Amino acid sequence: MSWLKKDPLQIIAFQSYGTDTHFYLRGRTLQDESISLGQKGFFRLLINSWKRLESDEVKHVGINIKLPNGKILKAKSDDHGYFKVEATLNGLKDLANSEGWLVCEVSYNDVNIKRNIQNNNSFPAEILIPSIKTEFGVASDIDDTILHTGVVSTLKWRVLYNTIFKSAKMRLPLEGAAEFCHLLHLGQSGESANPIFYVSHSPWNLYRYLEFFLRQNNFPKGPILLRNFSDILKKKTPNEKPQKQKEILNLLKTYPDLPFILIGDSGENDVDIYIEIAAQFPDRIKAIYLRSVKHKKKILRVKSLLESYKTTPALLVESSAQAIAHARENGFIER
């Protein structure tokens, strides 16, 4: 980061998740470059997209995380401005609201920062602590599962166009996707608060973009789990798992008594990731839903894999209505 710039500082705390005894929060310290999520106009959108990808991080600074009971946890940002804090505490569930969200406050604690800090150096953060009454958790992909991105287009040109030249306000969800997520959130009783986790291969630079899209289109509130931009360019080792798979495995580890429903699409590697996860946790995965994308070869491949797959209910669907009907028949949502 260049200290010659005059942009004020901010902290973006990513909605995270934990348990009654495990506090876990991620976020990033950045300069505030005034990116408008609802901005229109070709050049303005181009500038905003550049600002998102070319973010100016604040490296190696101390962070305070203040809990509702006054307890303060500490963290420090890394070379890319990211910070992560984990702590073993008791009674976190008592600090959360009825939906399971624990609200805390994040701030810079470095007295050597001689810069203007937004919001009087007070930034909101939330972690989700699911109730013991929840029936199951949901891990849903974002790209081409609930948001049309065009990941199967040639050279992924539609992904670039949609992300760079469309604001979050302009993007539309796939039909019925929000309704399906809400029904799963409410569960069989219609009164549950089943946690929804949104997983994507997108970089953390798009966190606010995606958060705005989900909120504007009335999706259930839930942690958004992305990856570092530098990891996209890094060469993977032969046995390294995709970040999306790592995130879902961590969810299963964090909530050992909670079964999960996995939602994805037929465009990329969701079917391979989900089948491998279900093979590891055959009693934990209640169902797999894969939205069909318009790519004949990929659809045929997914159908072939699912024909020989018998571990858990798995469905390739053309619409959310098909998924809703299946979930209702299997008692996942209210009849």
PDB file of all heavy atoms in Angstrom, residues 314-335:
ATOM      1  N   ALA A 314     -29.275 -37.490  -5.336  1.00  0.00           N
ATOM      2  CA  ALA A 314     -28.618 -36.465  -6.153  1.00  0.00           C
ATOM      3  C   ALA A 314     -29.471 -36.209  -7.383  1.00  0.00           C
ATOM      4  O   ALA A 314     -29.915 -37.149  -8.046  1.00  0.00           O
ATOM      5  CB  ALA A 314     -27.213 -36.911  -6.553  1.00  0.00           C
ATOM      6  N   LEU A 315     -29.678 -34.952  -7.680  1.00  0.00           N
ATOM      7  CA  LEU A 315     -30.626 -34.592  -8.736  1.00  0.00           C
ATOM      8  C   LEU A 315     -30.046 -33.505  -9.629  1.00  0.00           C
ATOM      9  O   LEU A 315     -29.550 -32.492  -9.145  1.00  0.00           O
ATOM     10  CB  LEU A 315     -31.927 -34.106  -8.092  1.00  0.00           C
ATOM     11  CG  LEU A 315     -33.194 -34.086  -8.962  1.00  0.00           C
ATOM     12  CD1 LEU A 315     -33.594 -35.505  -9.341  1.00  0.00           C
ATOM     13  CD2 LEU A 315     -34.325 -33.402  -8.214  1.00  0.00           C
ATOM     14  N   LEU A 316     -30.097 -33.729 -10.947  1.00  0.00           N
ATOM     15  CA  LEU A 316     -29.765 -32.705 -11.927  1.00  0.00           C
ATOM     16  C   LEU A 316     -31.072 -32.039 -12.339  1.00  0.00           C
ATOM     17  O   LEU A 316     -31.972 -32.693 -12.859  1.00  0.00           O
ATOM     18  CB  LEU A 316     -29.081 -33.326 -13.143  1.00  0.00           C
ATOM     19  CG  LEU A 316     -28.666 -32.371 -14.269  1.00  0.00           C
ATOM     20  CD1 LEU A 316     -27.611 -31.391 -13.786  1.00  0.00           C
ATOM     21  CD2 LEU A 316     -28.155 -33.155 -15.480  1.00  0.00           C
ATOM     22  N   VAL A 317     -31.205 -30.752 -12.057  1.00  0.00           N
ATOM     23  CA  VAL A 317     -32.495 -30.085 -12.251  1.00  0.00           C
ATOM     24  C   VAL A 317     -32.396 -28.993 -13.312  1.00  0.00           C
ATOM     25  O   VAL A 317     -31.366 -28.337 -13.471  1.00  0.00           O
ATOM     26  CB  VAL A 317     -33.013 -29.466 -10.929  1.00  0.00           C
ATOM     27  CG1 VAL A 317     -33.220 -30.550  -9.887  1.00  0.00           C
ATOM     28  CG2 VAL A 317     -32.063 -28.401 -10.407  1.00  0.00           C
ATOM     29  N   GLU A 318     -33.499 -28.804 -14.027  1.00  0.00           N
ATOM     30  CA  GLU A 318     -33.600 -27.744 -15.020  1.00  0.00           C
ATOM     31  C   GLU A 318     -34.092 -26.444 -14.387  1.00  0.00           C
ATOM     32  O   GLU A 318     -33.881 -25.366 -14.939  1.00  0.00           O
ATOM     33  CB  GLU A 318     -34.554 -28.165 -16.141  1.00  0.00           C
ATOM     34  CG  GLU A 318     -34.096 -29.359 -16.955  1.00  0.00           C
ATOM     35  CD  GLU A 318     -32.921 -29.022 -17.869  1.00  0.00           C
ATOM     36  OE1 GLU A 318     -32.733 -27.821 -18.158  1.00  0.00           O
ATOM     37  OE2 GLU A 318     -32.199 -29.949 -18.261  1.00  0.00           O
ATOM     38  N   SER A 319     -34.763 -26.571 -13.243  1.00  0.00           N
ATOM     39  CA  SER A 319     -35.346 -25.396 -12.611  1.00  0.00           C
ATOM     40  C   SER A 319     -35.373 -25.577 -11.098  1.00  0.00           C
ATOM     41  O   SER A 319     -35.281 -26.695 -10.587  1.00  0.00           O
ATOM     42  CB  SER A 319     -36.764 -25.157 -13.119  1.00  0.00           C
ATOM     43  OG  SER A 319     -37.613 -26.206 -12.689  1.00  0.00           O
ATOM     44  N   SER A 320     -35.566 -24.460 -10.396  1.00  0.00           N
ATOM     45  CA  SER A 320     -35.694 -24.517  -8.937  1.00  0.00           C
ATOM     46  C   SER A 320     -36.963 -25.253  -8.541  1.00  0.00           C
ATOM     47  O   SER A 320     -37.016 -25.878  -7.477  1.00  0.00           O
ATOM     48  CB  SER A 320     -35.699 -23.100  -8.358  1.00  0.00           C
ATOM     49  OG  SER A 320     -34.460 -22.465  -8.569  1.00  0.00           O
ATOM     50  N   ALA A 321     -37.997 -25.183  -9.387  1.00  0.00           N
ATOM     51  CA  ALA A 321     -39.262 -25.854  -9.091  1.00  0.00           C
ATOM     52  C   ALA A 321     -39.060 -27.359  -8.937  1.00  0.00           C
ATOM     53  O   ALA A 321     -39.670 -27.997  -8.063  1.00  0.00           O
ATOM     54  CB  ALA A 321     -40.283 -25.563 -10.182  1.00  0.00           C
ATOM     55  N   GLN A 322     -38.193 -27.939  -9.764  1.00  0.00           N
ATOM     56  CA  GLN A 322     -37.903 -29.368  -9.649  1.00  0.00           C
ATOM     57  C   GLN A 322     -37.205 -29.677  -8.327  1.00  0.00           C
ATOM     58  O   GLN A 322     -37.518 -30.670  -7.661  1.00  0.00           O
ATOM     59  CB  GLN A 322     -37.010 -29.812 -10.812  1.00  0.00           C
ATOM     60  CG  GLN A 322     -37.716 -29.936 -12.142  1.00  0.00           C
ATOM     61  CD  GLN A 322     -36.743 -30.382 -13.224  1.00  0.00           C
ATOM     62  OE1 GLN A 322     -36.107 -29.566 -13.887  1.00  0.00           O
ATOM     63  NE2 GLN A 322     -36.617 -31.677 -13.384  1.00  0.00           N
ATOM     64  N   ALA A 323     -36.262 -28.838  -7.952  1.00  0.00           N
ATOM     65  CA  ALA A 323     -35.548 -29.041  -6.690  1.00  0.00           C
ATOM     66  C   ALA A 323     -36.495 -28.893  -5.510  1.00  0.00           C
ATOM     67  O   ALA A 323     -36.429 -29.671  -4.543  1.00  0.00           O
ATOM     68  CB  ALA A 323     -34.391 -28.041  -6.578  1.00  0.00           C
ATOM     69  N   ILE A 324     -37.384 -27.910  -5.568  1.00  0.00           N
ATOM     70  CA  ILE A 324     -38.346 -27.692  -4.486  1.00  0.00           C
ATOM     71  C   ILE A 324     -39.262 -28.901  -4.341  1.00  0.00           C
ATOM     72  O   ILE A 324     -39.532 -29.358  -3.222  1.00  0.00           O
ATOM     73  CB  ILE A 324     -39.169 -26.407  -4.755  1.00  0.00           C
ATOM     74  CG1 ILE A 324     -38.273 -25.172  -4.578  1.00  0.00           C
ATOM     75  CG2 ILE A 324     -40.372 -26.322  -3.826  1.00  0.00           C
ATOM     76  CD1 ILE A 324     -38.906 -23.876  -5.031  1.00  0.00           C
ATOM     77  N   ALA A 325     -39.730 -29.432  -5.467  1.00  0.00           N
ATOM     78  CA  ALA A 325     -40.618 -30.597  -5.425  1.00  0.00           C
ATOM     79  C   ALA A 325     -39.911 -31.795  -4.800  1.00  0.00           C
ATOM     80  O   ALA A 325     -40.492 -32.517  -3.973  1.00  0.00           O
ATOM     81  CB  ALA A 325     -41.093 -30.937  -6.838  1.00  0.00           C
ATOM     82  N   HIS A 326     -38.649 -32.019  -5.171  1.00  0.00           N
ATOM     83  CA  HIS A 326     -37.885 -33.136  -4.616  1.00  0.00           C
ATOM     84  C   HIS A 326     -37.643 -32.939  -3.119  1.00  0.00           C
ATOM     85  O   HIS A 326     -37.783 -33.881  -2.318  1.00  0.00           O
ATOM     86  CB  HIS A 326     -36.556 -33.259  -5.350  1.00  0.00           C
ATOM     87  CG  HIS A 326     -35.702 -34.397  -4.880  1.00  0.00           C
ATOM     88  ND1 HIS A 326     -34.814 -34.273  -3.829  1.00  0.00           N
ATOM     89  CD2 HIS A 326     -35.607 -35.687  -5.308  1.00  0.00           C
ATOM     90  CE1 HIS A 326     -34.200 -35.422  -3.640  1.00  0.00           C
ATOM     91  NE2 HIS A 326     -34.655 -36.305  -4.531  1.00  0.00           N
ATOM     92  N   ALA A 327     -37.285 -31.714  -2.727  1.00  0.00           N
ATOM     93  CA  ALA A 327     -37.032 -31.428  -1.309  1.00  0.00           C
ATOM     94  C   ALA A 327     -38.298 -31.615  -0.483  1.00  0.00           C
ATOM     95  O   ALA A 327     -38.256 -32.091   0.659  1.00  0.00           O
ATOM     96  CB  ALA A 327     -36.503 -30.001  -1.152  1.00  0.00           C
ATOM     97  N   ARG A 328     -39.433 -31.271  -1.058  1.00  0.00           N
ATOM     98  CA  ARG A 328     -40.712 -31.429  -0.354  1.00  0.00           C
ATOM     99  C   ARG A 328     -41.057 -32.912  -0.201  1.00  0.00           C
ATOM    100  O   ARG A 328     -41.477 -33.357   0.864  1.00  0.00           O
ATOM    101  CB  ARG A 328     -41.800 -30.685  -1.129  1.00  0.00           C
ATOM    102  CG  ARG A 328     -43.126 -30.570  -0.416  1.00  0.00           C
ATOM    103  CD  ARG A 328     -43.979 -29.490  -1.046  1.00  0.00           C
ATOM    104  NE  ARG A 328     -43.634 -28.153  -0.584  1.00  0.00           N
ATOM    105  CZ  ARG A 328     -43.522 -27.097  -1.362  1.00  0.00           C
ATOM    106  NH1 ARG A 328     -43.703 -27.198  -2.669  1.00  0.00           N
ATOM    107  NH2 ARG A 328     -43.220 -25.919  -0.844  1.00  0.00           N
ATOM    108  N   GLU A 329     -40.843 -33.683  -1.253  1.00  0.00           N
ATOM    109  CA  GLU A 329     -41.124 -35.124  -1.215  1.00  0.00           C
ATOM    110  C   GLU A 329     -40.244 -35.838  -0.198  1.00  0.00           C
ATOM    111  O   GLU A 329     -40.673 -36.833   0.417  1.00  0.00           O
ATOM    112  CB  GLU A 329     -40.899 -35.732  -2.599  1.00  0.00           C
ATOM    113  CG  GLU A 329     -41.944 -35.329  -3.633  1.00  0.00           C
ATOM    114  CD  GLU A 329     -41.555 -35.780  -5.030  1.00  0.00           C
ATOM    115  OE1 GLU A 329     -40.532 -36.508  -5.154  1.00  0.00           O
ATOM    116  OE2 GLU A 329     -42.235 -35.403  -5.983  1.00  0.00           O
ATOM    117  N   ASN A 330     -39.030 -35.345  -0.026  1.00  0.00           N
ATOM    118  CA  ASN A 330     -38.088 -35.994   0.891  1.00  0.00           C
ATOM    119  C   ASN A 330     -38.108 -35.418   2.291  1.00  0.00           C
ATOM    120  O   ASN A 330     -37.285 -35.786   3.140  1.00  0.00           O
ATOM    121  CB  ASN A 330     -36.673 -35.914   0.308  1.00  0.00           C
ATOM    122  CG  ASN A 330     -36.439 -36.890  -0.827  1.00  0.00           C
ATOM    123  OD1 ASN A 330     -36.009 -38.019  -0.610  1.00  0.00           O
ATOM    124  ND2 ASN A 330     -36.753 -36.474  -2.046  1.00  0.00           N
ATOM    125  N   GLY A 331     -39.054 -34.500   2.545  1.00  0.00           N
ATOM    126  CA  GLY A 331     -39.234 -33.992   3.899  1.00  0.00           C
ATOM    127  C   GLY A 331     -38.192 -32.987   4.346  1.00  0.00           C
ATOM    128  O   GLY A 331     -38.024 -32.758   5.555  1.00  0.00           O
ATOM    129  N   PHE A 332     -37.474 -32.348   3.386  1.00  0.00           N
ATOM    130  CA  PHE A 332     -36.492 -31.341   3.767  1.00  0.00           C
ATOM    131  C   PHE A 332     -37.161 -29.999   4.034  1.00  0.00           C
ATOM    132  O   PHE A 332     -36.638 -29.194   4.814  1.00  0.00           O
ATOM    133  CB  PHE A 332     -35.437 -31.155   2.662  1.00  0.00           C
ATOM    134  CG  PHE A 332     -34.731 -32.416   2.277  1.00  0.00           C
ATOM    135  CD1 PHE A 332     -34.314 -32.629   0.964  1.00  0.00           C
ATOM    136  CD2 PHE A 332     -34.463 -33.409   3.189  1.00  0.00           C
ATOM    137  CE1 PHE A 332     -33.656 -33.785   0.584  1.00  0.00           C
ATOM    138  CE2 PHE A 332     -33.807 -34.581   2.838  1.00  0.00           C
ATOM    139  CZ  PHE A 332     -33.411 -34.773   1.518  1.00  0.00           C
ATOM    140  N   ILE A 333     -38.271 -29.747   3.346  1.00  0.00           N
ATOM    141  CA  ILE A 333     -38.971 -28.464   3.500  1.00  0.00           C
ATOM    142  C   ILE A 333     -40.437 -28.731   3.818  1.00  0.00           C
ATOM    143  O   ILE A 333     -40.931 -29.851   3.673  1.00  0.00           O
ATOM    144  CB  ILE A 333     -38.856 -27.588   2.250  1.00  0.00           C
ATOM    145  CG1 ILE A 333     -39.494 -28.283   1.042  1.00  0.00           C
ATOM    146  CG2 ILE A 333     -37.404 -27.258   1.966  1.00  0.00           C
ATOM    147  CD1 ILE A 333     -39.464 -27.448  -0.230  1.00  0.00           C
ATOM    148  N   GLU A 334     -41.132 -27.685   4.213  1.00  0.00           N
ATOM    149  CA  GLU A 334     -42.543 -27.801   4.630  1.00  0.00           C
ATOM    150  C   GLU A 334     -43.404 -28.242   3.453  1.00  0.00           C
ATOM    151  O   GLU A 334     -43.250 -27.761   2.337  1.00  0.00           O
ATOM    152  CB  GLU A 334     -43.016 -26.447   5.149  1.00  0.00           C
ATOM    153  CG  GLU A 334     -44.350 -26.499   5.865  1.00  0.00           C
ATOM    154  CD  GLU A 334     -44.696 -25.142   6.464  1.00  0.00           C
ATOM    155  OE1 GLU A 334     -44.081 -24.145   6.059  1.00  0.00           O
ATOM    156  OE2 GLU A 334     -45.568 -25.087   7.338  1.00  0.00           O
ATOM    157  N   ARG A 335     -44.317 -29.170   3.708  1.00  0.00           N
ATOM    158  CA  ARG A 335     -45.207 -29.665   2.643  1.00  0.00           C
ATOM    159  C   ARG A 335     -46.353 -28.708   2.416  1.00  0.00           C
ATOM    160  O   ARG A 335     -46.782 -28.015   3.294  1.00  0.00           O
ATOM    161  CB  ARG A 335     -45.758 -31.052   3.028  1.00  0.00           C
ATOM    162  CG  ARG A 335     -44.669 -32.130   3.024  1.00  0.00           C
ATOM    163  CD  ARG A 335     -45.264 -33.496   3.343  1.00  0.00           C
ATOM    164  NE  ARG A 335     -44.255 -34.543   3.325  1.00  0.00           N
ATOM    165  CZ  ARG A 335     -43.825 -35.169   2.226  1.00  0.00           C
ATOM    166  NH1 ARG A 335     -44.353 -34.857   1.057  1.00  0.00           N
ATOM    167  NH2 ARG A 335     -42.913 -36.106   2.304  1.00  0.00           N
TER     168      ARG A 335
END
